[in-house]
Coordinates of all heavy atoms in Angstrom, one line a residue:
A265 N 28.3 -29.4 17.9 CA 27.0 -30.0 17.6 C 25.9 -29.3 18.4 O 26.2 -28.8 19.5 CB 27.0 -31.4 18.0
P266 N 24.7 -29.2 17.9 CA 23.6 -28.5 18.6 C 23.1 -29.3 19.8 O 22.8 -30.4 19.8 CB 22.5 -28.4 17.5 CG 22.7 -29.5 16.6 CD 24.2 -29.8 16.6
V267 N 23.0 -28.5 21.0 CA 22.5 -29.1 22.2 C 21.6 -28.0 22.9 O 21.6 -26.9 22.5 CB 23.6 -29.5 23.2 CG1 24.4 -30.7 22.7 CG2 24.5 -28.3 23.5
K268 N 20.8 -28.5 23.9 CA 20.1 -27.5 24.7 C 21.2 -26.8 25.6 O 22.0 -27.4 26.2 CB 19.0 -28.2 25.6 CG 17.9 -28.8 24.7 CD 16.8 -29.4 25.6 CE 15.8 -30.1 24.7 NZ 14.7 -30.6 25.5
V269 N 21.1 -25.5 25.7 CA 22.0 -24.7 26.5 C 21.3 -23.8 27.5 O 20.1 -23.7 27.4 CB 22.9 -23.8 25.7 CG1 23.8 -24.6 24.7 CG2 22.1 -22.8 24.8
G270 N 22.0 -23.2 28.5 CA 21.4 -22.3 29.5 C 21.6 -20.9 29.1 O 22.2 -20.6 28.0
S271 N 21.1 -20.0 29.9 CA 21.2 -18.5 29.5 C 21.3 -17.8 30.9 O 21.1 -18.4 32.0 CB 20.1 -18.0 28.7 OG 18.9 -18.1 29.4
N272 N 21.7 -16.6 30.8 CA 22.0 -15.8 32.1 C 20.7 -15.4 32.9 O 19.6 -15.5 32.4 CB 22.9 -14.6 31.8 CG 22.2 -13.5 31.1 OD1 21.0 -13.6 30.7 ND2 22.9 -12.4 30.9
R273 N 20.9 -14.9 34.0 CA 19.9 -14.6 35.0 C 18.9 -13.5 34.4 O 17.8 -13.5 34.5 CB 20.4 -14.2 36.3 CG 19.4 -14.0 37.4 CD 20.0 -13.7 38.7 NE 20.8 -14.7 39.3 CZ 21.3 -14.7 40.5 NH1 21.1 -13.7 41.3 NH2 21.9 -15.8 40.9
A274 N 19.6 -12.5 33.7 CA 18.8 -11.4 33.2 C 17.8 -11.9 32.2 O 16.6 -11.4 32.1 CB 19.7 -10.4 32.5
S275 N 18.2 -12.9 31.4 CA 17.3 -13.4 30.3 C 16.1 -14.1 30.9 O 15.1 -14.2 30.3 CB 18.0 -14.3 29.4 OG 18.4 -15.5 30.0
R276 N 16.2 -14.5 32.2 CA 15.2 -15.3 32.8 C 14.4 -14.5 33.8 O 13.6 -15.1 34.5 CB 15.8 -16.6 33.5 CG 16.5 -17.5 32.4 CD 16.6 -18.9 33.0 NE 17.0 -19.8 31.8 CZ 16.1 -20.4 31.1 NH1 14.8 -20.3 31.3 NH2 16.5 -21.2 30.1
N277 N 14.7 -13.2 33.9 CA 13.9 -12.4 34.9 C 12.5 -12.1 34.4 O 12.3 -11.4 33.4 CB 14.7 -11.1 35.0 CG 14.1 -10.2 36.1 OD1 12.9 -10.0 36.1 ND2 14.9 -9.5 36.9
E278 N 11.5 -12.7 35.0 CA 10.2 -12.7 34.5 C 9.5 -11.3 34.6 O 8.7 -10.9 33.8 CB 9.3 -13.7 35.2 CG 9.8 -15.2 34.8 CD 8.9 -16.3 35.3 OE1 7.7 -16.0 35.6 OE2 9.3 -17.4 35.4

Side-chain angles (χ1 to χ4, degrees):
V267 292
K268 294 184 188 186
V269 295
S271 62
N272 71 359
R273 188 177 293 189
S275 69
R276 297 202 167 271
N277 183 317
E278 294 190 19

